[in-house]
Amino acid sequence: QNPIEQEGTYPLPEAQLDRFLLHVNVGYPDAAAETEILRLTRTEAGNSTATAPPKLSQDTVFAARQEALALHMAPAVEQYMVQLVIATRTPQNYSQQLAGWIEYGGSPRATIALDRCARAHAWLHGRDFVSPDDVQAVCADVLRHRLILSFEAEANGITPDQVIQELLSLVPVG
């Protein structure tokens, strides 16, 4: 999808969007980050002897994936993930406002993606267990493109991120 120039592009159907692991919103960098980007690219361009960063081998990537999948996840954290996704399918059990916002909730792929991404988040932060904080950190990126909002929600300017924040506030942790 191309959000700026729509010519020649078409929105993907929901079933195809669900196959993407994440929908990450990447904004522009702040002034300090942009200054650092400028300096790094200037240094790289001026240094003809600069070496490329080391490449990751396939074995390294597979080993990292296995380590992330092997992290401990308490049954309560697992149930928290399941309940978050189920809440998108039965929002009336949590609030009438939420029920009015969600037309269709996340599929089982959403639960699988939440598990994988929460594990990766914990692993990247050097932990050997997955916490509810890891689930919450990746929840918006995992669910943002999987929720189909109602016409009423869209007409009122409600965004998927607002719905997800409401979910996180209503679904109890463990």
Side-chain angles (χ1 to χ4, degrees):
Q1 294 184 354
N2 188 337
I4 296 174
E5 301 168 359
Q6 293 297 322
E7 187 175 327
T9 63
Y10 302 93
L12 292 172
E14 291 83 15
Q16 288 181 346
L17 283 174
D18 191 35
R19 289 180 172 93
F20 286 88
L21 183 65
L22 299 169
H23 175 160
V24 179
N25 287 338
V26 180
Y28 289 109
D30 61 19
E34 191 139 355
T35 301
E36 186 63 21
I37 292 167
L38 178 64
R39 290 179 181 154
L40 284 170
T41 57
R42 185 182 307 130
T43 300
E44 287 176 2
N47 187 356
S48 61
T49 61
T51 59
K55 293 183 180 180
L56 292 175
S57 71
Q58 184 178 21
D59 290 340
T60 301
V61 173
F62 286 169
R65 181 171 62 182
Q66 289 307 312
E67 287 176 22
L69 289 172
L71 292 182
H72 173 73
M73 181 182 289
V77 175
E78 186 175 76
Q79 281 306 303
Y80 178 53
M81 290 187 312
V82 169
Q83 290 307 311
L84 279 169
V85 176
I86 287 176
T88 69
R89 298 180 207 149
T90 58
Q92 66 278 4
N93 295 343
Y94 293 88
S95 84
Q96 288 307 307
Q97 179 180 22
L98 198 58
W101 288 347
I102 300 175
E103 189 74 26
Y104 294 100
S107 74
R109 280 191 180 116
T111 309
I112 294 166
L114 201 50
D115 175 72
R116 298 274 171 93
C117 293
R119 287 174 178 281
H121 188 269
W123 183 83
L124 287 169
H125 286 86
R127 289 188 298 280
D128 60 356
F129 63 94
V130 181
S131 75
D133 290 339
D134 296 308
V135 175
Q136 293 167 356
V138 299
C139 192
D141 292 335
V142 168
L143 295 179
R144 178 179 294 128
H145 61 295
R146 292 184 160 94
L147 299 180
I148 307 301
L149 302 187
S150 68
F151 173 79
E152 176 187 337
E154 289 183 11
N156 289 319
I158 303 299
T159 66
D161 286 2
Q162 289 171 300
V163 174
I164 293 162
Q165 285 307 308
E166 186 70 10
L167 277 168
L168 289 171
S169 73
L170 293 173
V171 176
V173 178

PDB file of all heavy atoms in Angstrom, residues 87-109:
ATOM      1  N   ALA A  87     -10.888 -10.474  23.449  1.00  0.00           N
ATOM      2  CA  ALA A  87     -11.607  -9.231  23.735  1.00  0.00           C
ATOM      3  C   ALA A  87     -11.906  -8.449  22.458  1.00  0.00           C
ATOM      4  O   ALA A  87     -12.898  -7.720  22.394  1.00  0.00           O
ATOM      5  CB  ALA A  87     -10.809  -8.365  24.709  1.00  0.00           C
ATOM      6  N   THR A  88     -11.059  -8.611  21.435  1.00  0.00           N
ATOM      7  CA  THR A  88     -11.351  -7.935  20.164  1.00  0.00           C
ATOM      8  C   THR A  88     -12.521  -8.595  19.447  1.00  0.00           C
ATOM      9  O   THR A  88     -13.179  -7.959  18.622  1.00  0.00           O
ATOM     10  CB  THR A  88     -10.127  -7.926  19.215  1.00  0.00           C
ATOM     11  OG1 THR A  88      -9.854  -9.256  18.740  1.00  0.00           O
ATOM     12  CG2 THR A  88      -8.897  -7.339  19.885  1.00  0.00           C
ATOM     13  N   ARG A  89     -12.794  -9.865  19.769  1.00  0.00           N
ATOM     14  CA  ARG A  89     -13.898 -10.592  19.137  1.00  0.00           C
ATOM     15  C   ARG A  89     -15.196 -10.470  19.927  1.00  0.00           C
ATOM     16  O   ARG A  89     -16.281 -10.597  19.361  1.00  0.00           O
ATOM     17  CB  ARG A  89     -13.536 -12.075  19.013  1.00  0.00           C
ATOM     18  CG  ARG A  89     -12.336 -12.323  18.146  1.00  0.00           C
ATOM     19  CD  ARG A  89     -12.043 -13.820  18.083  1.00  0.00           C
ATOM     20  NE  ARG A  89     -10.627 -14.025  17.833  1.00  0.00           N
ATOM     21  CZ  ARG A  89      -9.930 -15.051  18.277  1.00  0.00           C
ATOM     22  NH1 ARG A  89     -10.511 -15.990  19.007  1.00  0.00           N
ATOM     23  NH2 ARG A  89      -8.652 -15.164  17.986  1.00  0.00           N
ATOM     24  N   THR A  90     -15.075 -10.281  21.226  1.00  0.00           N
ATOM     25  CA  THR A  90     -16.257 -10.147  22.091  1.00  0.00           C
ATOM     26  C   THR A  90     -16.135  -8.874  22.932  1.00  0.00           C
ATOM     27  O   THR A  90     -16.139  -8.929  24.174  1.00  0.00           O
ATOM     28  CB  THR A  90     -16.396 -11.384  23.013  1.00  0.00           C
ATOM     29  OG1 THR A  90     -15.201 -11.500  23.792  1.00  0.00           O
ATOM     30  CG2 THR A  90     -16.644 -12.654  22.214  1.00  0.00           C
ATOM     31  N   PRO A  91     -16.029  -7.739  22.272  1.00  0.00           N
ATOM     32  CA  PRO A  91     -15.807  -6.487  23.022  1.00  0.00           C
ATOM     33  C   PRO A  91     -16.973  -6.122  23.935  1.00  0.00           C
ATOM     34  O   PRO A  91     -16.778  -5.419  24.925  1.00  0.00           O
ATOM     35  CB  PRO A  91     -15.605  -5.446  21.926  1.00  0.00           C
ATOM     36  CG  PRO A  91     -16.292  -6.020  20.723  1.00  0.00           C
ATOM     37  CD  PRO A  91     -16.135  -7.503  20.836  1.00  0.00           C
ATOM     38  N   GLN A  92     -18.178  -6.634  23.640  1.00  0.00           N
ATOM     39  CA  GLN A  92     -19.339  -6.339  24.485  1.00  0.00           C
ATOM     40  C   GLN A  92     -19.163  -6.875  25.901  1.00  0.00           C
ATOM     41  O   GLN A  92     -19.798  -6.387  26.831  1.00  0.00           O
ATOM     42  CB  GLN A  92     -20.633  -6.879  23.852  1.00  0.00           C
ATOM     43  CG  GLN A  92     -20.710  -8.382  23.751  1.00  0.00           C
ATOM     44  CD  GLN A  92     -19.979  -8.991  22.555  1.00  0.00           C
ATOM     45  OE1 GLN A  92     -19.316  -8.291  21.792  1.00  0.00           O
ATOM     46  NE2 GLN A  92     -20.095 -10.301  22.416  1.00  0.00           N
ATOM     47  N   ASN A  93     -18.263  -7.830  26.085  1.00  0.00           N
ATOM     48  CA  ASN A  93     -17.993  -8.349  27.432  1.00  0.00           C
ATOM     49  C   ASN A  93     -17.151  -7.387  28.267  1.00  0.00           C
ATOM     50  O   ASN A  93     -16.974  -7.601  29.465  1.00  0.00           O
ATOM     51  CB  ASN A  93     -17.282  -9.699  27.370  1.00  0.00           C
ATOM     52  CG  ASN A  93     -18.149 -10.780  26.762  1.00  0.00           C
ATOM     53  OD1 ASN A  93     -19.364 -10.636  26.658  1.00  0.00           O
ATOM     54  ND2 ASN A  93     -17.538 -11.868  26.343  1.00  0.00           N
ATOM     55  N   TYR A  94     -16.616  -6.358  27.627  1.00  0.00           N
ATOM     56  CA  TYR A  94     -15.736  -5.418  28.325  1.00  0.00           C
ATOM     57  C   TYR A  94     -16.339  -4.026  28.437  1.00  0.00           C
ATOM     58  O   TYR A  94     -16.217  -3.389  29.465  1.00  0.00           O
ATOM     59  CB  TYR A  94     -14.368  -5.371  27.642  1.00  0.00           C
ATOM     60  CG  TYR A  94     -13.650  -6.691  27.797  1.00  0.00           C
ATOM     61  CD1 TYR A  94     -13.828  -7.705  26.880  1.00  0.00           C
ATOM     62  CD2 TYR A  94     -12.841  -6.933  28.895  1.00  0.00           C
ATOM     63  CE1 TYR A  94     -13.202  -8.936  27.043  1.00  0.00           C
ATOM     64  CE2 TYR A  94     -12.216  -8.157  29.075  1.00  0.00           C
ATOM     65  CZ  TYR A  94     -12.406  -9.158  28.137  1.00  0.00           C
ATOM     66  OH  TYR A  94     -11.795 -10.372  28.318  1.00  0.00           O
ATOM     67  N   SER A  95     -16.957  -3.552  27.369  1.00  0.00           N
ATOM     68  CA  SER A  95     -17.663  -2.269  27.430  1.00  0.00           C
ATOM     69  C   SER A  95     -18.498  -2.084  26.171  1.00  0.00           C
ATOM     70  O   SER A  95     -18.134  -2.579  25.092  1.00  0.00           O
ATOM     71  CB  SER A  95     -16.681  -1.100  27.595  1.00  0.00           C
ATOM     72  OG  SER A  95     -16.152  -0.670  26.372  1.00  0.00           O
ATOM     73  N   GLN A  96     -19.597  -1.371  26.328  1.00  0.00           N
ATOM     74  CA  GLN A  96     -20.453  -1.099  25.173  1.00  0.00           C
ATOM     75  C   GLN A  96     -19.765  -0.146  24.200  1.00  0.00           C
ATOM     76  O   GLN A  96     -19.948  -0.245  22.991  1.00  0.00           O
ATOM     77  CB  GLN A  96     -21.800  -0.525  25.621  1.00  0.00           C
ATOM     78  CG  GLN A  96     -22.690  -1.564  26.274  1.00  0.00           C
ATOM     79  CD  GLN A  96     -22.854  -2.801  25.388  1.00  0.00           C
ATOM     80  OE1 GLN A  96     -23.225  -2.721  24.218  1.00  0.00           O
ATOM     81  NE2 GLN A  96     -22.556  -3.968  25.956  1.00  0.00           N
ATOM     82  N   GLN A  97     -18.953   0.755  24.727  1.00  0.00           N
ATOM     83  CA  GLN A  97     -18.203   1.661  23.861  1.00  0.00           C
ATOM     84  C   GLN A  97     -17.264   0.867  22.959  1.00  0.00           C
ATOM     85  O   GLN A  97     -17.219   1.085  21.757  1.00  0.00           O
ATOM     86  CB  GLN A  97     -17.414   2.660  24.702  1.00  0.00           C
ATOM     87  CG  GLN A  97     -16.592   3.621  23.867  1.00  0.00           C
ATOM     88  CD  GLN A  97     -15.826   4.603  24.722  1.00  0.00           C
ATOM     89  OE1 GLN A  97     -15.564   4.362  25.897  1.00  0.00           O
ATOM     90  NE2 GLN A  97     -15.458   5.718  24.146  1.00  0.00           N
ATOM     91  N   LEU A  98     -16.530  -0.073  23.547  1.00  0.00           N
ATOM     92  CA  LEU A  98     -15.614  -0.911  22.782  1.00  0.00           C
ATOM     93  C   LEU A  98     -16.388  -1.738  21.752  1.00  0.00           C
ATOM     94  O   LEU A  98     -15.960  -1.877  20.607  1.00  0.00           O
ATOM     95  CB  LEU A  98     -14.831  -1.812  23.732  1.00  0.00           C
ATOM     96  CG  LEU A  98     -13.558  -2.455  23.220  1.00  0.00           C
ATOM     97  CD1 LEU A  98     -12.557  -1.416  22.744  1.00  0.00           C
ATOM     98  CD2 LEU A  98     -12.936  -3.321  24.297  1.00  0.00           C
ATOM     99  N   ALA A  99     -17.535  -2.253  22.160  1.00  0.00           N
ATOM    100  CA  ALA A  99     -18.371  -3.036  21.240  1.00  0.00           C
ATOM    101  C   ALA A  99     -18.838  -2.188  20.058  1.00  0.00           C
ATOM    102  O   ALA A  99     -18.956  -2.689  18.936  1.00  0.00           O
ATOM    103  CB  ALA A  99     -19.571  -3.614  21.987  1.00  0.00           C
ATOM    104  N   GLY A 100     -19.055  -0.921  20.291  1.00  0.00           N
ATOM    105  CA  GLY A 100     -19.472  -0.025  19.212  1.00  0.00           C
ATOM    106  C   GLY A 100     -18.338   0.345  18.267  1.00  0.00           C
ATOM    107  O   GLY A 100     -18.580   0.806  17.154  1.00  0.00           O
ATOM    108  N   TRP A 101     -17.121   0.145  18.716  1.00  0.00           N
ATOM    109  CA  TRP A 101     -15.972   0.513  17.891  1.00  0.00           C
ATOM    110  C   TRP A 101     -15.464  -0.620  17.004  1.00  0.00           C
ATOM    111  O   TRP A 101     -14.890  -0.363  15.951  1.00  0.00           O
ATOM    112  CB  TRP A 101     -14.815   0.948  18.782  1.00  0.00           C
ATOM    113  CG  TRP A 101     -14.973   2.276  19.444  1.00  0.00           C
ATOM    114  CD1 TRP A 101     -15.895   3.243  19.177  1.00  0.00           C
ATOM    115  CD2 TRP A 101     -14.157   2.798  20.502  1.00  0.00           C
ATOM    116  NE1 TRP A 101     -15.714   4.317  19.999  1.00  0.00           N
ATOM    117  CE2 TRP A 101     -14.644   4.074  20.820  1.00  0.00           C
ATOM    118  CE3 TRP A 101     -13.078   2.295  21.200  1.00  0.00           C
ATOM    119  CZ2 TRP A 101     -14.081   4.871  21.802  1.00  0.00           C
ATOM    120  CZ3 TRP A 101     -12.509   3.094  22.193  1.00  0.00           C
ATOM    121  CH2 TRP A 101     -13.008   4.367  22.483  1.00  0.00           C
ATOM    122  N   ILE A 102     -15.594  -1.856  17.448  1.00  0.00           N
ATOM    123  CA  ILE A 102     -14.983  -2.981  16.724  1.00  0.00           C
ATOM    124  C   ILE A 102     -16.039  -3.737  15.919  1.00  0.00           C
ATOM    125  O   ILE A 102     -17.018  -4.244  16.481  1.00  0.00           O
ATOM    126  CB  ILE A 102     -14.276  -3.954  17.691  1.00  0.00           C
ATOM    127  CG1 ILE A 102     -13.176  -3.233  18.467  1.00  0.00           C
ATOM    128  CG2 ILE A 102     -13.698  -5.145  16.925  1.00  0.00           C
ATOM    129  CD1 ILE A 102     -12.504  -4.084  19.539  1.00  0.00           C
ATOM    130  N   GLU A 103     -15.828  -3.812  14.622  1.00  0.00           N
ATOM    131  CA  GLU A 103     -16.696  -4.605  13.742  1.00  0.00           C
ATOM    132  C   GLU A 103     -16.228  -6.061  13.714  1.00  0.00           C
ATOM    133  O   GLU A 103     -17.022  -6.974  13.847  1.00  0.00           O
ATOM    134  CB  GLU A 103     -16.671  -4.012  12.332  1.00  0.00           C
ATOM    135  CG  GLU A 103     -17.681  -4.598  11.388  1.00  0.00           C
ATOM    136  CD  GLU A 103     -19.090  -4.116  11.683  1.00  0.00           C
ATOM    137  OE1 GLU A 103     -19.258  -3.012  12.248  1.00  0.00           O
ATOM    138  OE2 GLU A 103     -20.024  -4.866  11.364  1.00  0.00           O
ATOM    139  N   TYR A 104     -14.906  -6.248  13.504  1.00  0.00           N
ATOM    140  CA  TYR A 104     -14.305  -7.583  13.493  1.00  0.00           C
ATOM    141  C   TYR A 104     -12.995  -7.537  14.267  1.00  0.00           C
ATOM    142  O   TYR A 104     -12.212  -6.615  14.106  1.00  0.00           O
ATOM    143  CB  TYR A 104     -14.023  -8.071  12.066  1.00  0.00           C
ATOM    144  CG  TYR A 104     -15.270  -8.296  11.261  1.00  0.00           C
ATOM    145  CD1 TYR A 104     -15.703  -7.358  10.346  1.00  0.00           C
ATOM    146  CD2 TYR A 104     -16.029  -9.454  11.433  1.00  0.00           C
ATOM    147  CE1 TYR A 104     -16.864  -7.553   9.617  1.00  0.00           C
ATOM    148  CE2 TYR A 104     -17.183  -9.658  10.708  1.00  0.00           C
ATOM    149  CZ  TYR A 104     -17.596  -8.701   9.802  1.00  0.00           C
ATOM    150  OH  TYR A 104     -18.741  -8.904   9.091  1.00  0.00           O
ATOM    151  N   GLY A 105     -12.774  -8.568  15.061  1.00  0.00           N
ATOM    152  CA  GLY A 105     -11.571  -8.633  15.877  1.00  0.00           C
ATOM    153  C   GLY A 105     -10.464  -9.446  15.245  1.00  0.00           C
ATOM    154  O   GLY A 105     -10.539  -9.852  14.079  1.00  0.00           O
ATOM    155  N   GLY A 106      -9.437  -9.699  16.023  1.00  0.00           N
ATOM    156  CA  GLY A 106      -8.255 -10.418  15.554  1.00  0.00           C
ATOM    157  C   GLY A 106      -8.507 -11.910  15.396  1.00  0.00           C
ATOM    158  O   GLY A 106      -9.258 -12.516  16.155  1.00  0.00           O
ATOM    159  N   SER A 107      -7.830 -12.494  14.443  1.00  0.00           N
ATOM    160  CA  SER A 107      -7.918 -13.928  14.177  1.00  0.00           C
ATOM    161  C   SER A 107      -6.916 -14.670  15.063  1.00  0.00           C
ATOM    162  O   SER A 107      -6.128 -14.041  15.776  1.00  0.00           O
ATOM    163  CB  SER A 107      -7.595 -14.195  12.706  1.00  0.00           C
ATOM    164  OG  SER A 107      -6.200 -14.061  12.480  1.00  0.00           O
ATOM    165  N   PRO A 108      -6.895 -15.998  14.988  1.00  0.00           N
ATOM    166  CA  PRO A 108      -5.860 -16.736  15.725  1.00  0.00           C
ATOM    167  C   PRO A 108      -4.437 -16.324  15.328  1.00  0.00           C
ATOM    168  O   PRO A 108      -3.517 -16.436  16.135  1.00  0.00           O
ATOM    169  CB  PRO A 108      -6.138 -18.200  15.359  1.00  0.00           C
ATOM    170  CG  PRO A 108      -7.614 -18.232  15.113  1.00  0.00           C
ATOM    171  CD  PRO A 108      -7.907 -16.913  14.431  1.00  0.00           C
ATOM    172  N   ARG A 109      -4.262 -15.822  14.116  1.00  0.00           N
ATOM    173  CA  ARG A 109      -2.933 -15.312  13.728  1.00  0.00           C
ATOM    174  C   ARG A 109      -2.504 -14.159  14.632  1.00  0.00           C
ATOM    175  O   ARG A 109      -1.311 -13.969  14.870  1.00  0.00           O
ATOM    176  CB  ARG A 109      -2.941 -14.834  12.276  1.00  0.00           C
ATOM    177  CG  ARG A 109      -2.814 -15.915  11.269  1.00  0.00           C
ATOM    178  CD  ARG A 109      -2.556 -15.277   9.893  1.00  0.00           C
ATOM    179  NE  ARG A 109      -2.420 -16.301   8.901  1.00  0.00           N
ATOM    180  CZ  ARG A 109      -3.246 -16.479   7.875  1.00  0.00           C
ATOM    181  NH1 ARG A 109      -4.279 -15.677   7.709  1.00  0.00           N
ATOM    182  NH2 ARG A 109      -3.038 -17.440   7.008  1.00  0.00           N
TER     183      ARG A 109
END
